[in-house]
Amino acid sequence: MSLKDQFGKDVLLTGWGHSRFGKLTDETLESLIVQVATEAIGNAGIEAGQIDEIYLGQFNSGMMPLAFPSSLALQVSEQLANVPSTRVENACASGSAAFQQGTKSLLAGTAMTVLVIGAEKMTQAGADVVGAALLGADYDMAGKPSTTGFTGLFAEVAKHYEKRYGAGAGNLGDVLGTIAAKNHRNGVDNPYAQLRKDLGEAFCQTVSEKNPMVADPLRRTDCSPVSDGAAAVVLSVAPTGGATAPVRLAGFGQANDFFPADRRDPTAFAATRVSWQRALGMAGVGLEDLDFAEVHDCFTIAELLMYEAMGLTEPGQGARAVQEGWVFKDGKLPINVSGGLKAKGHPVGATGVSQHVIAAMQLTGTAGAMQLAAPRRAAVQNMGGVGIANYVSVLEAL
């Protein structure tokens, strides 16, 4: 069973574009959207006029004054005049939410070709504005003052995890430092990444003047950076004769958890687990059939919990995936070969689309220095809030 078996048609990624991530002072939200959309359309080998619908993933939440960006993609070409375009928002999962909306348009038969864009401009806003905007994605802290912002929320998750599993988790600080070091090392090979420096395990595991504690036990190297950037992908029901072979969407899943923290187990990421099960189930594959995964490591504790939510290890045993090298580039399931959010950067609305683009590049052998050895199947996982809005896609090479 696969998506094609279930719905009777293919959903193919036929073209894509990706900007550099980082502090892009010379770029605007509009210029980033136009850049990646133009690249994706060209890569797909189609004319702009063949686009039936556009979905734009963007969080914003007050980080920039323009709060109505859905038509910015029309700036690409006069041919896009009157094309339906919709902004999609689901916190840090806005990009994958847009991707799934585009997918559903194809499956519904209301479109044959969809342009999906994820974009965010964050660095022009002050730290207090960004912090308040991100806290708007938390039921309990929205609108309240905080010195640690979202880092504080995931720090609490880490504390709950350490208290529950203790020694079974290994030395949590060291494990998280190793995850950070892995992703920084991977980011060196990603030309789009914001942070392209191999910091080493010792630096990432140690609190120092250059790596201060942000919210105990999370250090600066445990946190993804504030970023600008964009990515785009063309979705089609048939090959379009683009620059590379298309990539098939084999399955997808979404699951939302309850919003109030007291209705969730802080270490279980229960809805995240369900999103994995739904995507793998639709694709008709198991975790052992994946060659790599790009997952939502907004903080290193999130990546550790993802090992458990996806079923790579039992609950409380995520450290094993790190200690035994499973998730490294040469391991049995490489995780975040792109550097992840940790090193690539996390322009919120762009992240989910970026993950799909990076995975498509890997599956078509066009990932450059990031390239793995002939991968055939991958998963992408994107999350909004503390395990609240969860999306997983399974992609396959043709």
Side-chain angles (χ1 to χ4, degrees):
M1 180 63 71
S2 68
L3 180 150
K4 186 175 182 180
D5 297 326
Q6 184 170 336
F7 294 98
K9 63 175 70 175
D10 256 330
V11 173
L12 303 177
L13 288 71
T14 53
W16 43 83
H18 202 297
S19 79
R20 187 169 58 87
F21 282 6
K23 187 173 183 178
L24 308 180
T25 55
D26 294 333
E27 301 284 358
T28 64
L29 183 67
E30 179 179 334
S31 69
L32 287 167
I33 288 171
V34 169
Q35 174 195 331
V36 298
T38 301
E39 186 179 347
I41 292 168
N43 184 251
I46 63 173
E47 296 294 325
Q50 294 174 254
I51 300 293
D52 299 312
E53 203 164 355
I54 301 169
Y55 287 98
L56 170 66
Q58 188 219 20
F59 180 52
N60 193 356
S61 192
M63 288 185 288
M64 63 177 301
L66 181 64
F68 183 44
S70 57
S71 280
L72 288 179
L74 274 58
Q75 300 294 86
V76 169
S77 170
E78 291 289 333
Q79 295 180 38
L80 291 176
N82 304 316
V83 171
S85 186
T86 305
R87 176 192 171 212
V88 180
E89 185 277 309
N90 221 355
C92 296
S94 295
S96 285
F99 181 91
Q100 283 202 14
Q101 289 304 117
T103 294
K104 291 173 182 177
S105 287
L106 297 184
L107 295 178
T110 57
M112 300 289 285
T113 307
V114 174
L115 174 64
V116 178
I117 306 165
E120 207 78 62
K121 273 287 288 181
M122 303 173 71
T123 64
Q124 76 289 335
D128 56 337
V129 174
V130 173
L134 296 177
L135 280 177
D138 186 75
Y139 179 89
D140 301 285
M141 289 301 298
K144 296 180 181 178
S146 172
T147 57
T148 56
F150 235 80
T151 308
L153 300 179
F154 275 89
E156 288 302 310
V157 171
K159 290 175 183 176
H160 281 290
Y161 187 87
E162 195 164 27
K163 182 178 180 180
R164 176 172 295 183
Y165 296 113
N171 181 309
L172 185 60
D174 286 351
V175 172
L176 298 183
T178 300
I179 291 171
K182 167 184 74 73
N183 291 347
H184 275 287
R185 187 160 54 249
N186 289 345
V188 172
D189 293 328
N190 184 351
Y192 306 118
Q194 180 169 355
L195 305 174
R196 301 186 67 189
K197 186 175 182 179
D198 184 354
L199 299 178
E201 286 192 25
F203 180 83
C204 293
Q205 291 174 344
T206 305
V207 176
S208 64
E209 183 180 350
K210 292 187 177 181
N211 189 26
M213 191 71 75
V214 180
D216 190 21
L218 301 182
R219 300 146 297 208
R220 180 178 290 165
T221 50
D222 293 306
C223 310
S224 58
V226 172
S227 314
D228 306 327
V233 63
V234 173
L235 301 179
S236 310
V237 294
T240 57
T244 63
V247 169
R248 173 180 287 126
L249 176 64
F252 63 90
Q254 179 191 357
N256 275 53
D257 211 334
F258 294 105
F259 210 4
D262 61 10
R263 297 200 65 183
R264 289 178 277 117
D265 180 331
T267 68
F269 277 37
T272 312
R273 183 180 297 271
V274 171
S275 66
W276 275 99
Q277 293 168 346
R278 288 175 176 167
L280 293 170
M282 183 184 291
V285 301
L287 211 60
E288 68 279 2
D289 298 309
L290 301 179
D291 295 307
F292 69 95
E294 289 287 321
V295 309
H296 193 97
D297 62 321
C298 49
F299 301 93
T300 51
I301 183 63
E303 179 167 331
L304 181 67
L305 284 169
M306 208 52 57
Y307 304 157
E308 301 174 13
M310 69 198 296
L312 188 58
T313 76
E314 293 298 315
Q317 296 297 314
R320 185 181 175 197
V322 179
Q323 293 159 347
E324 299 189 18
W326 299 351
V327 294
F328 288 82
K329 196 169 184 178
D330 58 355
K332 69 177 185 179
L333 185 62
I335 301 286
N336 287 335
V337 175
S338 68
L341 286 59
K342 174 77 269 289
K344 183 179 60 176
H346 183 27
V348 177
T351 287
V353 182
S354 165
Q355 291 173 312
H356 285 85
V357 169
I358 294 292
M361 292 171 65
Q362 286 284 357
L363 293 170
T364 54
T366 58
M370 294 184 284
Q371 187 65 52
L372 295 167
R376 301 296 300 169
R377 187 177 290 112
V380 166
Q381 180 269 328
N382 188 201
M383 177 175 70
V386 186
I388 303 297
N390 303 275
Y391 296 82
V392 176
S393 298
V394 178
L395 305 179
E396 295 177 342
L398 289 183

